[in-house]
Amino acid sequence: SRTRILVTGGAGYIGSHTCKALAQNGFEPVAYDNLVAGHRDAVRWGPLVIGDVLDRQALVETMRRYDPAAVIHFAAHAYVGESVIEPAKYYRNNVHGTQTLLDACRGAGLLNVIFSSSCATYGVPEALPIREDSPQDPINPYGRSKLIGEQMLADYATAYGMRYVALRYFNACGADPGGEIGERHDPETHLIPRALMAAAGKLPHLSVFGDDYPTPDGTCIRDYIHVSDLARAHLAAVLHLLKGGENLAANLGTGRGISIKEILTAVEQVTGRRVPVRFEQRRAGDPPILFANPALARERLGFWPELSDVDTIVRSAAPFFELEARP
Ligand code: NAD
């Protein structure tokens, strides 16, 4: 029978794409999700256990029942703005949730853990591109909750022999090129789905925060990585741990920075529709430019993005917003 992988948050955006990649590569993904933000119909490649990562007993029972070889921990809240207003919600779900999971793992002897971290753990970078050894100094509770998760993993590794890969995603985007699953956050705050919603007439306009940044076109620059590339990186991390690879924290990005205006141009070219835009004040805490040095993931995991050019990203996402991509 196939090696099972427990996937917390497996009904969510990145989790469901990762379940597909695991299943396509001979693993059986077991999604564990309380469906606060996930979708039951996104779980198609293995069983769905409805449960909370704050419920240690349910986790232990799931681990006993399925005997997974590793866990990938996606389950978390992930809205930066909300985390500033409601930090308790973030520390509880992301920090206490991660600790509860790690303790359940320890109890069940499940020592291989892959953790969803974020470029938000770096805060405002001192230098670009961002390397993994750059200082981690997050500027909001969400970023801090992810940094604490990484630190917990490192301490559990030292003390209890836990083995881990922490993956620091830059901007996840795009959708399954097979069209089976896409990005469905509610509310949706991410740029590309919002731009597509605006192009499809489902938003009166797209708000862009700041066009006076010290960048070539005045808008913020980010590193966009396709969700199916992220999914493959998790597969690589599973294989790394199962063959005894070392503990690791690695960026997942492309190494290329793309401005908001460049994204909007791509959306207009791919869909043939205009994106109505309203420029607004800058938001507090948005660094002008973020992009990864992606070399470590390539070196240690043999992973590099293949679908993360802007055109491919927008083309894969457009059908989920009832937009046809032009040939
Ligand atoms: P998502 O909201 O689509 O997925 C998260 C899933 O976790 C949802 O299905 C939700 O129902 C589930 N969940 C939340 N709390 C839970 C709990 N207590 N118990 C069980 N299940 C719970 O989000 P996503 O965009 O797929 O992000 C996945 C992970 O990646 C998160 O940890 C997020 O912080 C991290 N991340 C995302 C991005 C991005 O650009 N989307 C960037 C960096 C890091």
Side-chain angles (χ1 to χ4, degrees), residues 125-203:
E126 286 171 1
L128 293 163
I130 303 174
R131 288 164 43 115
E132 287 80 356
D133 56 6
S134 308
Q136 286 179 292
D137 189 7
I139 55 171
N140 51 59
Y142 168 71
R144 281 187 277 276
S145 76
K146 289 290 173 183
L147 178 55
I148 295 167
E150 284 196 20
Q151 292 169 331
M152 241 187 311
L153 274 172
D155 289 336
Y156 275 47
T158 304
Y160 308 128
M162 197 152 257
R163 303 176 55 250
Y164 70 93
V165 176
L167 296 171
R168 300 177 185 155
Y169 321 150
F170 282 66
N171 288 50
C173 54
D176 171 36
E180 292 190 278
I181 36 176
E183 181 166 12
R184 279 187 281 163
H185 294 114
D186 183 20
E188 186 55 78
T189 58
H190 295 101
L191 174 64
I192 293 172
R194 286 187 68 83
L196 288 165
M197 286 158 72
K202 289 173 187 159
L203 279 182

Side-chain angles (χ1 to χ4, degrees), residues 21 24-25 173-175 177 223-233 235-236 252-256 294 297-298 301-316:
Q24 286 177 325
N25 287 275
C173 54
D223 187 336
Y224 294 87
I225 179 160
H226 194 292
V227 65
S228 299
D229 280 333
L230 288 179
R232 253 189 326 105
L235 174 69
L252 295 180
T254 65
R256 264 179 309 116
R298 185 168 190 137
L301 299 175
F303 165 77
W304 62 91
E306 290 172 351
L307 298 170
S308 296
D309 62 279
V310 192
D311 191 70
T312 305
I313 287 168
V314 174
R315 276 176 192 286
S316 68

